Amino acid sequence: MIDVNVSLSRWPFRRLPLDHPEKLVAKLRASGVTEAWAGNFDALLHRDLAAVNARTVAICRRRGDGLLRPFGAVDPTLPDWREDLRRCHEDYAMPGVRLHPNYHGYALDHPAFVELLDDAGCRGLVVQIALKMDDERHLHPLLKGLPTTDLAPLLPLLARPNRPKIILLNALRNLSGEPLRKLLAAGDVWVDVAMLEGIEGIKRLVAQVGPDGILFGTHAPFYYPEAAGMKLRESPLSPEQAEAVMQGNARRIIPAS
């Protein structure tokens, strides 16, 4: 399986059982994951994203045991974001970047976000957009006003000629029905199952939108990796559908290295 939603370092507000890279990698392997796309929790609140990205690459190379693929952090509201994006692509050969619009304080109609999408698309970088990182009910009191990212401005941007491949992380607690169908139908957009809830949730999601826009994601170590695996096991899928969700769709986004 390919896990498209893993984070390194430490969650800012409490310790997590798997926030050591070696423990995280061992647990992912034990859960059947053969490749994990890794961002960094430090990107949420740290201002020096260049240093965050350097640490992410170092952890993946030295402690990832061949399983972790680094995704860089870019904040288009910072003055040096273009250099951060260039480093991710040219210096670190990252396959993509992970954005946190709600933590970084911008909406998806921000001019710099639109420019970032165009630049990433021209570079062939995948763009992951994390709609949220935690349930609003569990947020630290200082973050109680933190919104879930509104995806409405994204749909018209998908018609731009240089659009990148876009993965919406942690989206399925808030995104469903016709808005979800429209985004996936626009092409080159995927969602992961980390925050999908309900009995046979993946089966119901496949029935609504088909299997091709769905990716396996655990949101580890914030969630236990076994939770996403259980969602697969309790959702009866055809072998072709299961293969698409577990790795086939991810391989269409980023081919094997």
Side-chain angles (χ1 to χ4, degrees), residues 28-118:
L28 289 170
R29 285 202 186 281
S31 301
V33 172
T34 55
E35 181 175 312
W37 301 354
N40 196 313
F41 284 140
D42 292 349
L44 301 180
L45 301 179
H46 289 215
R47 298 288 289 178
D48 186 358
L49 294 185
V52 172
N53 292 333
R55 290 195 298 273
T56 301
V57 170
I59 293 170
C60 290
R61 289 177 179 173
R62 299 171 189 170
R63 305 166 73 182
D65 193 29
L67 183 138
L68 301 176
R69 298 190 75 169
F71 271 61
V74 179
D75 178 356
T77 68
L78 295 179
D80 211 24
W81 71 263
R82 295 173 185 82
E83 178 62 12
D84 287 332
L85 188 70
R86 185 201 66 77
R87 285 196 192 103
C88 290
H89 179 218
E90 298 179 15
D91 296 350
Y92 299 136
M94 291 177 173
V97 294
R98 184 173 297 178
L99 310 181
H100 297 278
N102 58 343
Y103 275 86
H104 294 161
Y106 62 91
L108 300 190
D109 56 1
H110 193 292
F113 169 75
V114 178
E115 187 179 346
L116 189 157
L117 282 189
D118 287 343

Coordinates of all heavy atoms in Angstrom, one line a residue, residues 28-118:
L28 N 4.2 1.4 10.1 CA 3.7 1.5 8.7 C 4.0 0.2 8.0 O 3.1 -0.4 7.3 CB 4.2 2.7 8.0 CG 3.7 4.1 8.4 CD1 4.5 5.2 7.8 CD2 2.2 4.2 8.1
R29 N 5.2 -0.3 8.1 CA 5.6 -1.5 7.4 C 4.8 -2.7 7.9 O 4.3 -3.5 7.2 CB 7.1 -1.8 7.6 CG 8.0 -1.0 6.7 CD 9.4 -1.6 6.6 NE 10.3 -0.8 5.9 CZ 10.3 -0.5 4.5 NH1 9.4 -1.1 3.8 NH2 11.2 0.3 4.0
A30 N 4.6 -2.7 9.3 CA 3.8 -3.8 9.8 C 2.4 -3.8 9.4 O 1.6 -4.8 9.4 CB 3.9 -3.8 11.4
S31 N 1.9 -2.6 9.0 CA 0.5 -2.4 8.5 C 0.4 -2.6 7.0 O -0.7 -2.4 6.4 CB 0.0 -1.0 8.9 OG 0.1 -0.8 10.3
G32 N 1.5 -3.0 6.3 CA 1.4 -3.3 4.9 C 1.8 -2.1 4.0 O 1.7 -2.2 2.8
V33 N 2.2 -1.0 4.6 CA 2.6 0.2 3.8 C 4.0 0.0 3.2 O 4.9 -0.4 3.9 CB 2.5 1.5 4.6 CG1 3.1 2.6 3.8 CG2 1.1 1.7 5.0
T34 N 4.2 0.2 1.9 CA 5.5 0.0 1.3 C 6.1 1.4 0.8 O 7.2 1.4 0.5 CB 5.3 -0.9 0.0 OG1 4.3 -0.3 -0.9 CG2 4.9 -2.3 0.4
E35 N 5.3 2.4 0.9 CA 5.7 3.8 0.6 C 4.8 4.8 1.3 O 3.6 4.6 1.3 CB 5.7 4.0 -0.9 CG 6.2 5.4 -1.4 CD 6.3 5.5 -2.9 OE1 6.9 4.5 -3.5 OE2 5.8 6.5 -3.5
A36 N 5.4 5.8 1.8 CA 4.7 6.8 2.6 C 5.1 8.2 2.2 O 6.3 8.5 2.2 CB 4.8 6.6 4.1
W37 N 4.2 9.1 1.8 CA 4.5 10.5 1.4 C 4.4 11.3 2.7 O 3.4 11.5 3.3 CB 3.5 10.9 0.3 CG 3.6 10.0 -0.9 CD1 4.4 9.0 -1.1 CD2 2.7 10.1 -2.0 NE1 4.2 8.4 -2.3 CE2 3.1 9.1 -2.9 CE3 1.6 10.9 -2.4 CZ2 2.5 8.9 -4.1 CZ3 1.0 10.7 -3.6 CH2 1.4 9.7 -4.4
A38 N 5.5 11.9 3.0 CA 5.7 12.5 4.4 C 5.9 14.0 4.3 O 6.8 14.5 3.7 CB 6.9 11.9 5.1
G39 N 5.0 14.7 5.0 CA 5.2 16.1 5.3 C 5.8 16.3 6.7 O 6.4 15.3 7.2
N40 N 5.6 17.4 7.3 CA 6.2 17.7 8.6 C 5.3 18.5 9.5 O 4.8 19.6 9.1 CB 7.6 18.4 8.4 CG 8.4 18.3 9.6 OD1 8.0 18.6 10.8 ND2 9.7 18.0 9.4
F41 N 5.0 18.0 10.7 CA 4.2 18.8 11.6 C 4.8 20.2 11.9 O 4.1 21.2 12.2 CB 4.0 18.1 13.0 CG 3.1 16.9 12.9 CD1 3.4 15.7 13.6 CD2 1.8 17.0 12.3 CE1 2.5 14.7 13.6 CE2 0.9 16.0 12.3 CZ 1.3 14.8 13.0
D42 N 6.1 20.3 11.8 CA 6.7 21.6 12.1 C 6.2 22.7 11.2 O 6.3 23.9 11.5 CB 8.3 21.5 12.0 CG 8.9 20.7 13.1 OD1 8.2 20.3 14.0 OD2 10.1 20.3 12.9
A43 N 5.8 22.3 10.0 CA 5.3 23.3 9.0 C 4.1 24.1 9.5 O 3.8 25.2 9.0 CB 5.0 22.6 7.7
L44 N 3.4 23.6 10.5 CA 2.2 24.3 10.9 C 2.5 25.6 11.6 O 1.8 26.6 11.3 CB 1.4 23.4 11.9 CG 0.9 22.0 11.4 CD1 0.2 21.3 12.4 CD2 0.1 22.2 10.1
L45 N 3.5 25.6 12.5 CA 3.7 26.8 13.3 C 5.1 27.4 13.1 O 5.3 28.6 13.6 CB 3.5 26.5 14.8 CG 2.0 26.0 15.1 CD1 2.0 25.7 16.6 CD2 1.0 27.0 14.7
H46 N 6.0 26.7 12.5 CA 7.4 27.3 12.3 C 7.4 28.3 11.2 O 6.7 28.0 10.2 CB 8.4 26.2 12.0 CG 8.7 25.3 13.2 ND1 9.9 24.7 13.4 CD2 7.9 24.8 14.2 CE1 9.9 24.0 14.5 NE2 8.7 24.1 15.0
R47 N 8.1 29.3 11.3 CA 8.2 30.3 10.3 C 9.3 30.0 9.3 O 9.2 30.4 8.1 CB 8.4 31.7 10.9 CG 7.3 32.2 11.8 CD 6.1 32.6 11.1 NE 6.3 33.8 10.3 CZ 5.3 34.4 9.5 NH1 4.2 33.8 9.4 NH2 5.5 35.5 8.9
D48 N 10.3 29.3 9.7 CA 11.5 29.0 8.8 C 11.2 27.7 8.1 O 11.7 26.7 8.5 CB 12.8 29.0 9.6 CG 14.0 28.8 8.8 OD1 13.8 28.7 7.5 OD2 15.1 28.8 9.3
L49 N 10.4 27.8 7.0 CA 10.1 26.6 6.3 C 11.2 26.0 5.5 O 11.2 24.8 5.3 CB 8.9 26.8 5.4 CG 7.6 27.2 6.1 CD1 6.5 27.3 5.1 CD2 7.2 26.2 7.1
A50 N 12.2 26.8 5.2 CA 13.4 26.2 4.6 C 14.1 25.2 5.5 O 14.5 24.1 5.1 CB 14.4 27.4 4.2
A51 N 14.2 25.6 6.8 CA 14.8 24.6 7.8 C 13.9 23.4 8.0 O 14.4 22.3 8.1 CB 15.1 25.4 9.1
V52 N 12.6 23.6 8.0 CA 11.7 22.5 8.1 C 11.9 21.5 7.0 O 12.0 20.3 7.2 CB 10.2 23.0 8.2 CG1 9.3 21.8 8.1 CG2 10.0 23.8 9.4
N53 N 12.0 22.0 5.7 CA 12.1 21.2 4.6 C 13.5 20.4 4.6 O 13.6 19.3 4.2 CB 12.0 22.0 3.3 CG 10.6 22.5 3.1 OD1 9.6 21.9 3.6 ND2 10.4 23.6 2.4
A54 N 14.5 21.1 5.0 CA 15.8 20.4 5.1 C 15.8 19.3 6.1 O 16.3 18.2 5.9 CB 16.9 21.5 5.5
R55 N 15.1 19.5 7.3 CA 14.9 18.4 8.2 C 14.1 17.3 7.7 O 14.4 16.1 7.9 CB 14.3 18.9 9.5 CG 15.2 19.9 10.3 CD 14.7 20.1 11.7 NE 13.4 20.7 11.8 CZ 13.2 22.0 11.8 NH1 14.2 22.8 11.7 NH2 11.9 22.5 11.9
T56 N 13.1 17.6 7.0 CA 12.2 16.5 6.4 C 13.0 15.6 5.5 O 12.9 14.4 5.5 CB 11.0 17.2 5.6 OG1 10.3 18.0 6.5 CG2 10.1 16.1 5.0
V57 N 13.8 16.3 4.6 CA 14.6 15.5 3.7 C 15.6 14.6 4.4 O 15.8 13.4 4.1 CB 15.3 16.4 2.7 CG1 16.4 15.7 1.9 CG2 14.3 17.1 1.7
A58 N 16.3 15.2 5.4 CA 17.3 14.5 6.2 C 16.7 13.3 6.9 O 17.3 12.2 6.9 CB 18.0 15.4 7.2
I59 N 15.5 13.4 7.5 CA 14.8 12.3 8.2 C 14.5 11.2 7.2 O 14.7 10.0 7.5 CB 13.6 12.8 8.9 CG1 14.0 13.7 10.1 CG2 12.8 11.6 9.5 CD1 12.8 14.4 10.7
C60 N 13.9 11.6 6.1 CA 13.5 10.6 5.1 C 14.7 9.8 4.6 O 14.7 8.6 4.4 CB 12.8 11.2 3.9 SG 11.1 11.9 4.3
R61 N 15.9 10.5 4.4 CA 17.0 9.8 3.8 C 17.8 9.0 4.8 O 18.2 7.9 4.5 CB 18.0 10.9 3.2 CG 17.5 11.6 2.0 CD 18.4 12.7 1.5 NE 18.0 13.3 0.3 CZ 18.5 14.4 -0.3 NH1 19.6 14.9 0.3 NH2 18.1 14.9 -1.4
R62 N 17.9 9.5 6.1 CA 18.7 8.8 7.1 C 17.9 7.8 7.9 O 18.5 6.9 8.5 CB 19.4 9.9 8.0 CG 20.3 10.8 7.2 CD 20.7 12.0 8.1 NE 21.5 13.0 7.3 CZ 21.8 14.2 7.8 NH1 21.5 14.5 9.1 NH2 22.4 15.1 7.1
R63 N 16.6 8.1 8.1 CA 15.9 7.3 9.1 C 14.6 6.7 8.5 O 13.8 6.1 9.2 CB 15.6 8.2 10.3 CG 16.8 8.8 10.9 CD 16.5 9.9 11.9 NE 16.0 9.4 13.2 CZ 15.6 10.2 14.2 NH1 15.7 11.5 14.0 NH2 15.1 9.7 15.3
G64 N 14.4 6.9 7.2 CA 13.2 6.5 6.6 C 13.2 5.0 6.1 O 12.1 4.5 5.6
D65 N 14.3 4.4 6.1 CA 14.4 3.0 5.7 C 13.9 2.7 4.3 O 13.3 1.6 4.1 CB 13.7 2.1 6.8 CG 14.1 0.6 6.6 OD1 15.2 0.3 6.1 OD2 13.2 -0.2 7.0
G66 N 14.0 3.7 3.4 CA 13.5 3.5 2.0 C 12.0 3.6 1.9 O 11.5 3.4 0.7
L67 N 11.3 3.9 2.9 CA 9.8 3.9 2.8 C 9.3 5.4 2.7 O 8.3 5.6 2.0 CB 9.3 3.3 4.1 CG 7.7 3.2 4.2 CD1 7.3 1.8 4.7 CD2 7.2 4.3 5.1
L68 N 10.0 6.4 3.2 CA 9.5 7.7 3.3 C 9.9 8.5 2.0 O 11.0 8.5 1.7 CB 10.0 8.4 4.5 CG 9.6 7.8 5.9 CD1 10.2 8.6 7.0 CD2 8.1 7.8 6.0
R69 N 8.9 9.2 1.4 CA 9.2 10.2 0.4 C 8.8 11.6 0.8 O 7.7 11.8 1.2 CB 8.4 9.8 -0.9 CG 8.8 8.5 -1.5 CD 8.2 8.3 -2.9 NE 8.9 9.1 -3.9 CZ 8.7 8.9 -5.2 NH1 7.8 8.0 -5.7 NH2 9.4 9.6 -6.1
P70 N 9.8 12.5 0.8 CA 9.5 13.8 1.5 C 8.7 14.7 0.6 O 8.8 14.8 -0.6 CB 10.9 14.4 1.6 CG 11.7 13.8 0.5 CD 11.2 12.4 0.4
F71 N 7.7 15.4 1.3 CA 6.9 16.5 0.6 C 7.2 17.8 1.4 O 7.2 17.8 2.6 CB 5.4 16.2 0.7 CG 4.9 15.4 -0.4 CD1 5.4 14.1 -0.7 CD2 3.9 15.9 -1.3 CE1 4.9 13.4 -1.8 CE2 3.5 15.2 -2.4 CZ 4.0 13.9 -2.6
G72 N 7.6 18.8 0.7 CA 8.0 20.1 1.3 C 6.8 20.9 1.7 O 5.7 20.7 1.3
A73 N 7.1 21.9 2.6 CA 6.1 22.8 3.1 C 6.4 24.2 2.4 O 7.5 24.7 2.4 CB 6.2 23.0 4.6
V74 N 5.3 24.8 1.9 CA 5.4 26.1 1.3 C 4.3 27.0 1.8 O 3.1 26.5 1.8 CB 5.4 26.1 -0.2 CG1 5.5 27.5 -0.9 CG2 6.5 25.2 -0.8
D75 N 4.5 28.2 2.2 CA 3.5 29.1 2.6 C 3.6 30.3 1.7 O 4.5 31.2 1.7 CB 3.8 29.6 4.0 CG 2.8 30.6 4.5 OD1 1.9 31.1 3.7 OD2 2.8 31.0 5.7
P76 N 2.6 30.5 0.7 CA 2.6 31.5 -0.3 C 2.4 32.9 0.3 O 2.6 33.9 -0.4 CB 1.5 31.2 -1.2 CG 0.6 30.4 -0.4 CD 1.4 29.6 0.6
T77 N 2.1 33.1 1.6 CA 2.1 34.4 2.2 C 3.4 34.9 2.7 O 3.5 36.1 3.0 CB 1.1 34.4 3.4 OG1 1.6 33.6 4.5 CG2 -0.3 33.9 2.9
L78 N 4.4 34.0 2.7 CA 5.7 34.4 3.1 C 6.5 35.0 1.9 O 6.3 34.6 0.8 CB 6.5 33.3 3.7 CG 5.9 32.7 5.0 CD1 6.7 31.5 5.5 CD2 5.8 33.7 6.1
P79 N 7.4 36.0 2.2 CA 8.1 36.6 1.1 C 9.0 35.8 0.2 O 9.2 36.0 -0.9 CB 8.9 37.8 1.8 CG 9.0 37.3 3.2 CD 7.8 36.6 3.5
D80 N 9.5 34.7 0.8 CA 10.5 33.8 0.1 C 9.9 32.5 -0.4 O 10.6 31.5 -0.6 CB 11.7 33.6 1.0 CG 13.0 33.5 0.2 OD1 13.1 34.0 -0.9 OD2 13.9 32.8 0.7
W81 N 8.6 32.4 -0.6 CA 8.0 31.2 -0.9 C 8.5 30.6 -2.2 O 8.5 29.4 -2.4 CB 6.4 31.3 -0.8 CG 5.8 32.0 -2.0 CD1 5.4 33.3 -2.0 CD2 5.5 31.5 -3.3 NE1 4.9 33.7 -3.2 CE2 4.9 32.6 -4.0 CE3 5.6 30.3 -3.9 CZ2 4.4 32.5 -5.3 CZ3 5.2 30.2 -5.2 CH2 4.6 31.2 -5.9
R82 N 8.8 31.5 -3.2 CA 9.2 31.0 -4.5 C 10.5 30.2 -4.3 O 10.8 29.2 -5.0 CB 9.3 32.1 -5.5 CG 8.0 32.8 -5.8 CD 8.2 34.0 -6.7 NE 6.9 34.7 -6.9 CZ 6.4 35.6 -6.0 NH1 7.0 35.8 -4.9 NH2 5.3 36.2 -6.3
E83 N 11.4 30.7 -3.5 CA 12.7 30.1 -3.2 C 12.5 28.7 -2.5 O 13.1 27.7 -2.8 CB 13.6 31.0 -2.4 CG 15.0 30.3 -2.1 CD 15.8 30.0 -3.3 OE1 15.5 30.4 -4.4 OE2 16.8 29.3 -3.1
D84 N 11.5 28.7 -1.6 CA 11.2 27.4 -0.9 C 10.7 26.4 -1.9 O 11.1 25.2 -1.9 CB 10.1 27.6 0.2 CG 10.6 28.4 1.4 OD1 11.8 28.2 1.7 OD2 9.8 29.0 2.1
L85 N 9.9 26.8 -2.8 CA 9.4 25.9 -3.8 C 10.5 25.5 -4.8 O 10.6 24.3 -5.1 CB 8.2 26.6 -4.6 CG 7.5 25.7 -5.6 CD1 6.6 24.7 -4.9 CD2 6.6 26.5 -6.6
R86 N 11.4 26.4 -5.1 CA 12.5 26.0 -6.0 C 13.4 25.0 -5.3 O 13.8 24.0 -6.0 CB 13.3 27.3 -6.4 CG 14.4 27.0 -7.4 CD 15.5 28.0 -7.3 NE 16.2 28.0 -6.1 CZ 17.2 27.1 -5.8 NH1 17.5 26.1 -6.6 NH2 17.8 27.1 -4.6
R87 N 13.7 25.2 -4.1 CA 14.5 24.2 -3.3 C 13.9 22.9 -3.3 O 14.6 21.8 -3.5 CB 14.8 24.7 -1.9 CG 15.8 25.9 -1.8 CD 16.3 26.0 -0.4 NE 17.0 27.2 -0.2 CZ 16.5 28.3 0.4 NH1 15.3 28.3 0.9 NH2 17.2 29.4 0.6
C88 N 12.6 22.8 -3.0 CA 11.9 21.5 -2.9 C 12.1 20.8 -4.2 O 12.3 19.6 -4.3 CB 10.4 21.7 -2.6 SG 10.1 22.3 -1.0
H89 N 12.0 21.5 -5.3 CA 12.0 20.9 -6.7 C 13.5 20.6 -7.1 O 13.8 19.5 -7.4 CB 11.3 21.8 -7.7 CG 11.4 21.2 -9.1 ND1 11.5 22.0 -10.2 CD2 11.3 20.0 -9.6 CE1 11.5 21.3 -11.3 NE2 11.4 20.1 -10.9
E90 N 14.3 21.6 -7.1 CA 15.6 21.5 -7.7 C 16.7 21.0 -6.8 O 17.5 20.2 -7.2 CB 16.0 22.9 -8.2 CG 15.1 23.5 -9.3 CD 15.5 24.9 -9.8 OE1 16.7 25.2 -9.5 OE2 14.7 25.5 -10.4
D91 N 16.7 21.4 -5.5 CA 17.7 20.9 -4.6 C 17.4 19.6 -3.9 O 18.3 18.8 -3.7 CB 18.0 22.0 -3.5 CG 18.5 23.3 -4.0 OD1 18.8 23.4 -5.2 OD2 18.5 24.3 -3.2
Y92 N 16.1 19.4 -3.6 CA 15.8 18.2 -2.9 C 15.1 17.1 -3.7 O 14.9 16.0 -3.3 CB 14.9 18.5 -1.7 CG 15.5 19.5 -0.7 CD1 14.8 20.5 -0.2 CD2 16.8 19.3 -0.3 CE1 15.3 21.4 0.7 CE2 17.4 20.2 0.7 CZ 16.6 21.2 1.2 OH 17.2 22.1 2.1
A93 N 14.7 17.4 -5.0 CA 14.1 16.5 -5.9 C 12.8 15.9 -5.2 O 12.5 14.7 -5.4 CB 15.0 15.4 -6.3
M94 N 12.1 16.7 -4.5 CA 10.8 16.3 -3.9 C 9.8 16.1 -5.0 O 9.7 16.8 -6.0 CB 10.3 17.3 -2.9 CG 11.1 17.4 -1.6 SD 10.5 18.7 -0.5 CE 11.5 18.5 0.9
P95 N 8.9 15.1 -4.8 CA 7.8 14.9 -5.8 C 6.7 15.9 -5.7 O 5.9 16.0 -6.6 CB 7.3 13.5 -5.6 CG 7.6 13.3 -4.1 CD 8.9 14.0 -3.8
G96 N 6.6 16.6 -4.5 CA 5.5 17.5 -4.3 C 5.7 18.3 -3.1 O 6.6 18.2 -2.3
V97 N 4.6 19.1 -2.8 CA 4.6 20.0 -1.6 C 3.3 19.8 -0.9 O 2.3 19.4 -1.5 CB 4.9 21.5 -1.9 CG1 6.3 21.7 -2.5 CG2 3.8 22.0 -2.9
R98 N 3.3 20.1 0.4 CA 2.1 20.0 1.2 C 1.8 21.4 1.8 O 2.6 22.0 2.4 CB 2.2 19.0 2.3 CG 1.0 18.8 3.2 CD 1.2 17.7 4.2 NE 1.4 16.4 3.5 CZ 1.6 15.2 4.1 NH1 1.7 15.2 5.4 NH2 1.8 14.1 3.4
L99 N 0.5 21.9 1.6 CA 0.1 23.2 2.0 C -0.9 23.1 3.2 O -1.6 22.2 3.2 CB -0.6 23.9 0.8 CG 0.2 24.0 -0.5 CD1 -0.6 24.8 -1.5 CD2 1.6 24.5 -0.4
H100 N -0.8 24.1 4.0 CA -1.7 24.2 5.2 C -2.4 25.6 5.2 O -2.0 26.4 6.0 CB -0.9 24.0 6.5 CG -0.3 22.6 6.6 ND1 -1.0 21.5 7.0 CD2 1.0 22.2 6.3 CE1 -0.2 20.4 6.9 NE2 1.0 20.8 6.5
P101 N -3.3 25.8 4.3 CA -3.9 27.2 4.2 C -4.5 27.7 5.5 O -4.4 28.9 5.8 CB -4.9 27.0 3.1 CG -4.5 25.8 2.3 CD -3.9 24.9 3.3
N102 N -5.2 26.8 6.2 CA -5.9 27.3 7.4 C -4.8 27.7 8.5 O -5.0 28.8 9.1 CB -6.9 26.4 8.0 CG -6.3 25.0 8.3 OD1 -5.2 24.6 7.9 ND2 -7.1 24.2 9.1
Y103 N -3.8 27.0 8.7 CA -2.8 27.3 9.7 C -2.0 28.6 9.2 O -1.5 29.3 10.0 CB -1.8 26.2 9.9 CG -2.3 25.2 11.0 CD1 -3.2 24.2 10.6 CD2 -2.0 25.3 12.3 CE1 -3.7 23.3 11.5 CE2 -2.5 24.5 13.3 CZ -3.3 23.4 12.9 OH -3.8 22.6 13.8
H104 N -1.8 28.7 7.9 CA -1.0 29.8 7.4 C -1.8 31.1 7.1 O -1.3 32.1 6.6 CB -0.2 29.4 6.2 CG 0.8 28.3 6.6 ND1 1.4 27.5 5.6 CD2 1.4 28.0 7.8 CE1 2.3 26.7 6.2 NE2 2.3 27.0 7.5
G105 N -3.1 31.0 7.2 CA -3.9 32.2 7.2 C -4.3 32.7 5.8 O -4.3 33.9 5.6
Y106 N -4.5 31.9 4.8 CA -4.9 32.4 3.5 C -6.0 31.5 2.9 O -6.2 30.3 3.3 CB -3.8 32.4 2.5 CG -3.1 31.1 2.2 CD1 -3.5 30.3 1.1 CD2 -2.0 30.6 3.0 CE1 -2.9 29.1 0.8 CE2 -1.4 29.4 2.7 CZ -1.9 28.7 1.6 OH -1.3 27.5 1.3
A107 N -6.8 32.1 2.1 CA -7.9 31.3 1.4 C -7.4 30.9 0.0 O -6.4 31.4 -0.5 CB -9.1 32.2 1.2
L108 N -8.1 30.0 -0.6 CA -7.7 29.5 -1.9 C -7.9 30.4 -3.1 O -7.7 30.1 -4.2 CB -8.3 28.1 -2.2 CG -8.0 27.1 -1.1 CD1 -8.5 25.7 -1.6 CD2 -6.5 27.0 -0.7
D109 N -8.4 31.6 -2.8 CA -8.5 32.6 -3.9 C -7.4 33.7 -3.7 O -7.4 34.7 -4.4 CB -9.9 33.3 -3.9 CG -10.3 33.9 -2.6 OD1 -9.5 33.8 -1.6 OD2 -11.4 34.5 -2.5
H110 N -6.5 33.4 -2.8 CA -5.3 34.4 -2.6 C -4.5 34.4 -3.8 O -4.1 33.3 -4.4 CB -4.5 33.9 -1.4 CG -3.5 34.9 -0.9 ND1 -2.4 35.3 -1.6 CD2 -3.5 35.6 0.3 CE1 -1.7 36.1 -0.9 NE2 -2.3 36.4 0.2
P111 N -4.1 35.5 -4.4 CA -3.3 35.6 -5.6 C -2.0 34.8 -5.5 O -1.6 34.2 -6.5 CB -3.0 37.1 -5.8 CG -4.1 37.8 -5.0 CD -4.5 36.9 -3.9
A112 N -1.4 34.8 -4.4 CA -0.1 34.0 -4.3 C -0.3 32.5 -4.3 O 0.5 31.8 -4.9 CB 0.6 34.4 -3.0
F113 N -1.5 32.1 -3.8 CA -1.8 30.6 -3.9 C -2.0 30.3 -5.4 O -1.6 29.2 -5.8 CB -3.1 30.3 -3.1 CG -3.6 28.9 -3.4 CD1 -3.0 27.8 -2.9 CD2 -4.8 28.8 -4.2 CE1 -3.5 26.5 -3.1 CE2 -5.3 27.5 -4.4 CZ -4.6 26.4 -3.9
V114 N -2.7 31.1 -6.1 CA -2.9 30.8 -7.6 C -1.6 30.8 -8.3 O -1.3 29.9 -9.1 CB -3.8 31.9 -8.2 CG1 -4.0 31.7 -9.7 CG2 -5.2 31.9 -7.5
E115 N -0.7 31.7 -8.0 CA 0.6 31.7 -8.6 C 1.4 30.4 -8.2 O 2.1 29.8 -9.0 CB 1.4 32.9 -8.1 CG 2.7 33.1 -8.9 CD 3.5 34.4 -8.4 OE1 2.8 35.2 -7.8 OE2 4.7 34.5 -8.7
L116 N 1.3 30.0 -6.9 CA 2.0 28.8 -6.5 C 1.5 27.6 -7.3 O 2.3 26.7 -7.7 CB 1.7 28.6 -5.0 CG 2.5 27.5 -4.3 CD1 2.6 27.8 -2.8 CD2 1.9 26.1 -4.5
L117 N 0.2 27.5 -7.5 CA -0.4 26.4 -8.3 C 0.2 26.3 -9.7 O 0.6 25.3 -10.2 CB -1.9 26.5 -8.3 CG -2.7 26.0 -7.2 CD1 -4.2 26.0 -7.5 CD2 -2.3 24.7 -6.6
D118 N 0.3 27.5 -10.3 CA 0.8 27.6 -11.6 C 2.3 27.2 -11.7 O 2.7 26.4 -12.5 CB 0.7 29.0 -12.2 CG -0.8 29.4 -12.6 OD1 -1.6 28.4 -12.7 OD2 -1.1 30.5 -12.7

